[in-house]
Every structure is written in structure tokens, then in C-alpha cells.
Amino acid sequence: MSVQERKERERAGRERLIVATARELAEQQGWDAVTTRRLAERIEYSQPVLYSHFRGKREIIGAVAREGAAEMAAALRAAASAADGPRARVTALARAYLDFAERNPAVYDAMFQLDGGLAFAKEDTPEPLKDAFAALLENLGEVAGDGVHPGLFTEVFWAALHGLATLTRAGRLPPGDTERRVELLLDRLAMI
């Protein structure tokens, strides 16, 4: 292995460490606790080293969002592939989405609530974000209905799931009725 390859591997390892530490700190104490000073202390590198990877907290949030989107896409695909039939697949998608949001609140915030400097629904949208949407679209197209564009249907379904996740987490909806909400969503929106 050349010196250059070793340096690149070490750099990639530091970057993974920064992102993992930011996620851990955000999940434990919230995003307000994630500062470059605190991250530098936790990873035992100087702030200039941290800044050599990320220009600031915004870019770190973006990196966490990209990583979270890839994880969400994998979870959605795994859930859908384990289900049999359209209704079961859509139910599995909804549950997987809501479970991901509940289990990873800081990552979910990085993906959808905080400014990570990422473009959504544009040509320059990062691939992991496109892929997370595609993981929904792949399974919702078959239930969109006649004359309904599958992408548009997926956007509305995603918006409904996001609303359920966000409102439940904020304590605006009683947590015990999640399953009934998913069933109602499927019955009325997806009509399957």
C-alpha cells in the first residue's frame, strides 16, 4: 500500500469517526450539543483537523443525513421484501419508516428538519436521498391507482408518514394509536 493510499484510508476513517461521534452525541443530547469543539474533544483531534474534513456543523449534519438516508433505504427495502402482497408491502414500508424515525430521532432530524445544506427534489440531490425516496416509490407505484402518477402518490404517502412521525414524537398525537393510523392511511390513501 502506498503512502497516499494509507493517508486516504486514514482520512476516510477520521471522517467516519466524526460522523459517528456527531450522531452519537446528537442522539444522546440533541443537536445543540454537537459543536466542533465538543466533537474535536471526543475524537481526540484538534478543531483544525475536524475543519479539514467539514467546514462546520452544517456539513456534518449533511453527512449524517446522507448516511441516515442510506440506512433508511435499506430498512425500507428489507421490510418490503419480507412482505407478501401489495397491502402487506405498503404496511411494512409504513412501519419501517415510522420505526426508523422513532429509533433514530437525531438522524431523522438531520435528514428532514435541520439544514444540512442538501438539496431535495432537484438534480443535485445527493444519491442517498434519492435512493431513500426510490425505496418508497418501488413499492408504492403498484398501489397509486389509475391515472395517479406514482411519484406524486409517493410524495403524498411520504408526507403523511413524515407528519405521523413528527407529530407523534412531538407529543401532538397519542403514541398508542400508531397502528390504527397506519391502517387508516392504507385504507383511505392507498385504498388497498
Side-chain angles (χ1 to χ4, degrees), residues 57-185:
K57 184 175 176 177
R58 182 178 187 221
E59 284 190 5
I60 294 168
I61 290 169
V64 170
R66 286 188 303 276
E67 188 174 272
E71 291 169 10
M72 177 183 271
L76 293 172
R77 286 191 175 100
S81 70
D84 187 32
R87 185 178 181 93
R89 274 191 295 281
V90 176
T91 300
L93 279 177
R95 286 185 180 135
Y97 184 98
L98 295 172
D99 288 347
F100 181 89
E102 183 180 352
R103 281 191 329 273
N104 304 284
V107 173
Y108 191 82
D109 284 349
M111 291 167 63
F112 300 118
Q113 303 289 103
L114 302 174
D115 179 11
L118 306 176
F120 281 81
K122 301 199 185 317
E123 287 297 318
D124 61 339
T125 298
E127 201 54 45
L129 301 178
K130 288 179 183 179
D131 191 47
F133 183 80
L136 289 171
L137 179 63
E138 292 162 6
N139 293 286
L140 293 174
E142 67 183 321
V143 299
D146 293 336
V148 178
H149 188 279
L152 185 62
F153 179 80
T154 301
E155 290 171 354
V156 172
F157 193 82
W158 170 32
L161 292 176
H162 176 70
L164 288 174
T166 303
L167 292 170
T168 300
R169 187 167 139 213
R172 304 295 196 268
L173 299 174
D177 291 329
T178 300
E179 286 302 314
R180 289 179 43 200
R181 287 187 196 98
V182 168
E183 288 301 318
L184 183 60
L185 177 65

